[in-house]
Amino acid sequence: MIGGVREALAQAVELGGPVVVILLAVSVASAAVVLYKLWQFHASSVGKHSALRRAIAAWDNGQLSEAESALKQSRSYLAPLIASGFAAAPRERLAAEAEAHFAKLESGFRALDSVAQLAPLLGLFGTVLGMIDAFQSLQSAGSQVDPSLLAGGIWVALLTTAVGLAVAMPTAMILSWFEARMDGERVFADTAIQTICAPREPKADA
């Protein structure tokens, strides 16, 4: 199976030329960024805030010891931020620290966005070059035009567009998933900061 994949890649490179080589290199780099971001999200426990939610809920209800106990159980990258909030850090500082965390998690997003936007254009560029070459071959044939010559040149030219789309579409989908996760992280962090800095007041005894 691996040999078949290698053979198919070698044939695509041979037919598509340097544009396909560039697109394959871009796809490898994009895959490396995606794998790194997945590892980073897992190591930072992105989206895994159950212990933090318990800590914040306990803090909001005035149960300080329960809040501290739940906070110690969290492995989330936001745990130090919540701890600073429990230590009466200013709201502005907490927001700035949260944005610093988000900036680290979002590093590499621009590279993925560039791949998603430029890969189809690069594929189209290869197609245009291939079409030019096909029509030059057609012109060189003179009056003895072979339709298969033009058809073969066209499908080879369209190969680069197909490769460009194959690189861009999964990259765009994965980037959208990453961005959706980070939107959720921002909402959670903002809610947590607001709750910590302005907990509900205890109800007065009747």
mmCIF file of all heavy atoms in Angstrom, residues 16-36:
data_model
loop_
_atom_site.group_PDB
_atom_site.id
_atom_site.type_symbol
_atom_site.label_atom_id
_atom_site.label_comp_id
_atom_site.label_asym_id
_atom_site.label_seq_id
_atom_site.Cartn_x
_atom_site.Cartn_y
_atom_site.Cartn_z
ATOM 1 N N GLY A 16 2.702 17.018 -12.723
ATOM 2 C CA GLY A 16 2.372 18.387 -12.311
ATOM 3 C C GLY A 16 3.547 19.332 -12.266
ATOM 4 O O GLY A 16 3.365 20.550 -12.258
ATOM 5 N N GLY A 17 4.755 18.796 -12.190
ATOM 6 C CA GLY A 17 5.930 19.642 -12.195
ATOM 7 C C GLY A 17 6.208 20.309 -10.857
ATOM 8 O O GLY A 17 5.747 19.854 -9.800
ATOM 9 N N PRO A 18 6.940 21.412 -10.886
ATOM 10 C CA PRO A 18 7.370 22.067 -9.638
ATOM 11 C C PRO A 18 6.211 22.592 -8.796
ATOM 12 O O PRO A 18 6.344 22.684 -7.575
ATOM 13 C CB PRO A 18 8.259 23.219 -10.140
ATOM 14 C CG PRO A 18 7.846 23.447 -11.558
ATOM 15 C CD PRO A 18 7.454 22.109 -12.081
ATOM 16 N N VAL A 19 5.086 22.931 -9.410
ATOM 17 C CA VAL A 19 3.950 23.440 -8.631
ATOM 18 C C VAL A 19 3.432 22.364 -7.692
ATOM 19 O O VAL A 19 3.127 22.625 -6.520
ATOM 20 C CB VAL A 19 2.825 23.941 -9.560
ATOM 21 C CG1 VAL A 19 1.598 24.320 -8.744
ATOM 22 C CG2 VAL A 19 3.310 25.141 -10.361
ATOM 23 N N VAL A 20 3.332 21.130 -8.178
ATOM 24 C CA VAL A 20 2.877 20.030 -7.328
ATOM 25 C C VAL A 20 3.894 19.759 -6.224
ATOM 26 O O VAL A 20 3.520 19.464 -5.085
ATOM 27 C CB VAL A 20 2.631 18.767 -8.169
ATOM 28 C CG1 VAL A 20 2.374 17.558 -7.275
ATOM 29 C CG2 VAL A 20 1.448 18.971 -9.101
ATOM 30 N N VAL A 21 5.170 19.872 -6.545
ATOM 31 C CA VAL A 21 6.212 19.692 -5.519
ATOM 32 C C VAL A 21 6.033 20.726 -4.409
ATOM 33 O O VAL A 21 6.099 20.402 -3.211
ATOM 34 C CB VAL A 21 7.611 19.800 -6.141
ATOM 35 C CG1 VAL A 21 8.687 19.758 -5.052
ATOM 36 C CG2 VAL A 21 7.834 18.672 -7.137
ATOM 37 N N ILE A 22 5.800 21.974 -4.798
ATOM 38 C CA ILE A 22 5.599 23.035 -3.800
ATOM 39 C C ILE A 22 4.349 22.754 -2.963
ATOM 40 O O ILE A 22 4.363 22.889 -1.738
ATOM 41 C CB ILE A 22 5.495 24.404 -4.496
ATOM 42 C CG1 ILE A 22 6.814 24.764 -5.169
ATOM 43 C CG2 ILE A 22 5.106 25.488 -3.496
ATOM 44 C CD1 ILE A 22 6.754 26.018 -6.009
ATOM 45 N N LEU A 23 3.274 22.340 -3.619
ATOM 46 C CA LEU A 23 2.032 22.059 -2.892
ATOM 47 C C LEU A 23 2.203 20.893 -1.926
ATOM 48 O O LEU A 23 1.674 20.918 -0.806
ATOM 49 C CB LEU A 23 0.908 21.768 -3.879
ATOM 50 C CG LEU A 23 0.339 22.977 -4.622
ATOM 51 C CD1 LEU A 23 -0.602 22.536 -5.736
ATOM 52 C CD2 LEU A 23 -0.390 23.900 -3.647
ATOM 53 N N LEU A 24 2.920 19.867 -2.330
ATOM 54 C CA LEU A 24 3.176 18.743 -1.424
ATOM 55 C C LEU A 24 4.017 19.179 -0.230
ATOM 56 O O LEU A 24 3.766 18.753 0.911
ATOM 57 C CB LEU A 24 3.865 17.608 -2.183
ATOM 58 C CG LEU A 24 3.011 16.881 -3.220
ATOM 59 C CD1 LEU A 24 3.837 15.810 -3.934
ATOM 60 C CD2 LEU A 24 1.791 16.248 -2.576
ATOM 61 N N ALA A 25 5.007 20.027 -0.471
ATOM 62 C CA ALA A 25 5.826 20.537 0.638
ATOM 63 C C ALA A 25 4.981 21.374 1.584
ATOM 64 O O ALA A 25 5.120 21.273 2.817
ATOM 65 C CB ALA A 25 6.991 21.357 0.086
ATOM 66 N N VAL A 26 4.088 22.186 1.019
ATOM 67 C CA VAL A 26 3.193 23.001 1.842
ATOM 68 C C VAL A 26 2.261 22.116 2.661
ATOM 69 O O VAL A 26 1.986 22.395 3.835
ATOM 70 C CB VAL A 26 2.384 23.966 0.949
ATOM 71 C CG1 VAL A 26 1.245 24.604 1.734
ATOM 72 C CG2 VAL A 26 3.300 25.044 0.383
ATOM 73 N N SER A 27 1.778 21.028 2.049
ATOM 74 C CA SER A 27 0.881 20.135 2.770
ATOM 75 C C SER A 27 1.588 19.456 3.939
ATOM 76 O O SER A 27 1.004 19.272 5.014
ATOM 77 C CB SER A 27 0.314 19.076 1.823
ATOM 78 O OG SER A 27 1.322 18.175 1.400
ATOM 79 N N VAL A 28 2.855 19.095 3.747
ATOM 80 C CA VAL A 28 3.628 18.486 4.837
ATOM 81 C C VAL A 28 3.821 19.490 5.974
ATOM 82 O O VAL A 28 3.654 19.159 7.159
ATOM 83 C CB VAL A 28 4.990 17.982 4.315
ATOM 84 C CG1 VAL A 28 5.878 17.545 5.484
ATOM 85 C CG2 VAL A 28 4.784 16.824 3.351
ATOM 86 N N ALA A 29 4.156 20.728 5.629
ATOM 87 C CA ALA A 29 4.328 21.767 6.647
ATOM 88 C C ALA A 29 3.016 22.036 7.371
ATOM 89 O O ALA A 29 2.984 22.200 8.600
ATOM 90 C CB ALA A 29 4.855 23.052 6.005
ATOM 91 N N SER A 30 1.915 22.072 6.629
ATOM 92 C CA SER A 30 0.604 22.300 7.235
ATOM 93 C C SER A 30 0.244 21.167 8.185
ATOM 94 O O SER A 30 -0.273 21.401 9.285
ATOM 95 C CB SER A 30 -0.448 22.432 6.133
ATOM 96 O OG SER A 30 -1.740 22.598 6.694
ATOM 97 N N ALA A 31 0.521 19.931 7.764
ATOM 98 C CA ALA A 31 0.232 18.787 8.636
ATOM 99 C C ALA A 31 1.061 18.844 9.912
ATOM 100 O O ALA A 31 0.579 18.501 11.004
ATOM 101 C CB ALA A 31 0.505 17.486 7.887
ATOM 102 N N ALA A 32 2.321 19.297 9.802
ATOM 103 C CA ALA A 32 3.170 19.418 10.987
ATOM 104 C C ALA A 32 2.602 20.447 11.967
ATOM 105 O O ALA A 32 2.587 20.227 13.184
ATOM 106 C CB ALA A 32 4.590 19.801 10.572
ATOM 107 N N VAL A 33 2.125 21.576 11.431
ATOM 108 C CA VAL A 33 1.525 22.605 12.290
ATOM 109 C C VAL A 33 0.267 22.071 12.968
ATOM 110 O O VAL A 33 0.054 22.291 14.169
ATOM 111 C CB VAL A 33 1.188 23.869 11.469
ATOM 112 C CG1 VAL A 33 0.424 24.873 12.321
ATOM 113 C CG2 VAL A 33 2.469 24.512 10.938
ATOM 114 N N VAL A 34 -0.551 21.346 12.221
ATOM 115 C CA VAL A 34 -1.785 20.793 12.789
ATOM 116 C C VAL A 34 -1.473 19.813 13.905
ATOM 117 O O VAL A 34 -2.101 19.850 14.982
ATOM 118 C CB VAL A 34 -2.617 20.116 11.688
ATOM 119 C CG1 VAL A 34 -3.756 19.302 12.306
ATOM 120 C CG2 VAL A 34 -3.193 21.158 10.738
ATOM 121 N N LEU A 35 -0.511 18.933 13.691
ATOM 122 C CA LEU A 35 -0.147 17.961 14.728
ATOM 123 C C LEU A 35 0.399 18.667 15.970
ATOM 124 O O LEU A 35 0.094 18.263 17.112
ATOM 125 C CB LEU A 35 0.887 16.977 14.179
ATOM 126 C CG LEU A 35 0.377 15.998 13.115
ATOM 127 C CD1 LEU A 35 1.522 15.153 12.586
ATOM 128 C CD2 LEU A 35 -0.728 15.113 13.685
ATOM 129 N N TYR A 36 1.197 19.694 15.767
ATOM 130 C CA TYR A 36 1.726 20.446 16.918
ATOM 131 C C TYR A 36 0.603 21.120 17.691
ATOM 132 O O TYR A 36 0.590 21.096 18.932
ATOM 133 C CB TYR A 36 2.730 21.485 16.450
ATOM 134 C CG TYR A 36 3.152 22.434 17.551
ATOM 135 C CD1 TYR A 36 3.978 22.003 18.586
ATOM 136 C CD2 TYR A 36 2.688 23.750 17.578
ATOM 137 C CE1 TYR A 36 4.341 22.860 19.612
ATOM 138 C CE2 TYR A 36 3.048 24.614 18.595
ATOM 139 C CZ TYR A 36 3.878 24.164 19.612
ATOM 140 O OH TYR A 36 4.218 25.018 20.630
#
